[in-house]
């Protein structure tokens, strides 16, 4: 089995569960750190000819992270493409099972059991807080409806204020974000890399939580530690 992954979180999952299966991955596939495979461009602009030249049995993609024209080009070249859809935590576990099975993994890996057990054992939040969750600036974009990251936060007691927005990643003016007066502003380090010096200054007087994008948006081995690390970052939020 030879596979190419166009999804960073699934790259990590396959590399850990089926060593040697991956022949290629995107430039953004940063985990595991020692991954030594052919790089095939970005998630939004993969080099399809390079992927085809690797003669993969399977290309692993995601309906949100990858563009349909690129996937269609791969199919037209005779490459099988598995497209995942992950909108909440339970769906993440189902899709991980599907991807790993397609990569020839016959025994469910221990890390996946541990991750699912961790999320299943979460106690109900004692309090609930509201949040604004930017994922980009210039222009400002936030989490909207029906997102994996939104479900992750909801399970940790954080309800983002744009969860009912008709768009999944709407552009919202900064003044409107401030006017929402959320209990916390959640600032991940990807896809936009918010830092202590780039992001919190836009929300004076509001508590800001700098969180790992890998723990907020990735569905792979990081799921096992995500509740603990995200919970700690959210509790540490400061104006």
């Amino acid at each position: 089995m030879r596979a190419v992954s166009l999804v960073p979180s699934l790259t990590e999952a396959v590399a850990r569960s089926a060593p040697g299966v991956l022949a290629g991955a995107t430039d953004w596939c940063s985990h595991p750190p020692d991954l030594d495979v052919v790089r095939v461009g970005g998630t939004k602009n993969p080099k399809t000819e390079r992927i085809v030249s690797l003669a993969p049995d399977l290309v692993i993609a995601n309906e949100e992270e990858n563009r349909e024209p690129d996937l269609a080009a791969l199919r037209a070249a005779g490459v099988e493409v598995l497209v995942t859809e992950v909108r909440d935590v339970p769906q993440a576990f189902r899709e991980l099972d599907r991807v790993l099975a397609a990569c020839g993994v016959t025994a469910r890996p221990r890390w996946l059991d541990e991750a699912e057990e961790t999320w299943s054992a979460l106690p109900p939040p004692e309090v609930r807080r509201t949040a604004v969750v930017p994922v980009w600036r210039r222009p400002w974009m936030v989490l909207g409806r029906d997102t994996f990251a939104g479900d992750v936060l909801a399970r940790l007691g954080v309800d983002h204020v744009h969860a009912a927005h008709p768009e999944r990643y709407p552009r919202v003016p900064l003044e409107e974000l401030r006017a929402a007066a959320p209990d916390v502003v959640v600032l991940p380090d990807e896809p936009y890399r918010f830092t202590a010096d780039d992001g919190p200054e836009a929300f004076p007087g509001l508590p800001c939580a700098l969180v790992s994008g890998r723990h907020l948006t990735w569905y792979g081995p990081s799921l096992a530690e995500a509740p603990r690390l995200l919970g700690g970052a959210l509790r540490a939020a400061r104006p």
Side-chain angles (χ1 to χ4, degrees), residues 133-237:
V133 190
V135 293
W136 202 259
R137 68 182 301 177
R138 304 182 193 95
W140 287 93
M141 298 175 67
V142 298
L143 290 186
R145 65 168 180 85
D146 196 23
T147 65
F148 172 75
D151 187 59
V152 165
L153 290 172
R155 292 169 188 272
L156 298 176
V158 177
D159 302 309
H160 69 94
V161 300
H162 298 95
H165 196 283
E167 298 179 26
R168 296 186 66 217
Y169 298 98
R171 297 184 180 188
V172 182
L174 179 58
E175 295 75 15
E176 187 175 327
L177 299 181
R178 292 170 176 162
D183 297 319
V184 62
V185 179
V186 180
L187 298 170
D189 61 9
E190 62 175 72
Y192 185 91
R193 187 173 181 80
F194 288 105
T195 68
D197 299 321
D198 185 357
E201 83 289 343
F203 300 94
L206 292 176
C208 291
L210 293 166
V211 304
S212 162
R214 178 167 169 260
H215 293 113
L216 179 62
T217 65
W218 287 34
Y219 31 90
S222 58
L223 279 168
E225 59 187 10
R228 174 177 58 85
L229 295 179
L230 287 174
L234 291 167
R235 288 190 295 272

Side-chain angles (χ1 to χ4, degrees), residues 31-84:
H31 286 74
D34 60 352
L35 183 66
D36 184 17
V37 298
V38 175
R39 299 296 174 160
V40 297
T43 57
K44 303 297 186 188
N45 56 345
K47 296 177 172 63
T48 55
E49 291 183 1
R50 181 176 297 176
I51 295 171
V52 172
S53 73
L54 293 172
D57 300 298
L58 182 70
V59 169
I60 302 162
N62 175 263
E63 50 90 28
E64 176 178 304
E65 293 198 49
N66 309 118
R67 301 185 312 147
E68 178 54 34
D70 296 319
L71 305 184
L74 291 170
R75 294 189 186 99
V79 178
E80 181 179 352
V81 180
L82 185 159
V83 182
T84 59

Side-chain angles (χ1 to χ4, degrees), residues 84-96 146 148:
T84 59
E85 178 184 294
V86 178
R87 303 291 180 90
D88 57 35
V89 173
Q91 191 175 28
F93 290 118
R94 293 194 298 271
E95 290 290 63
L96 282 163
D146 196 23
F148 172 75

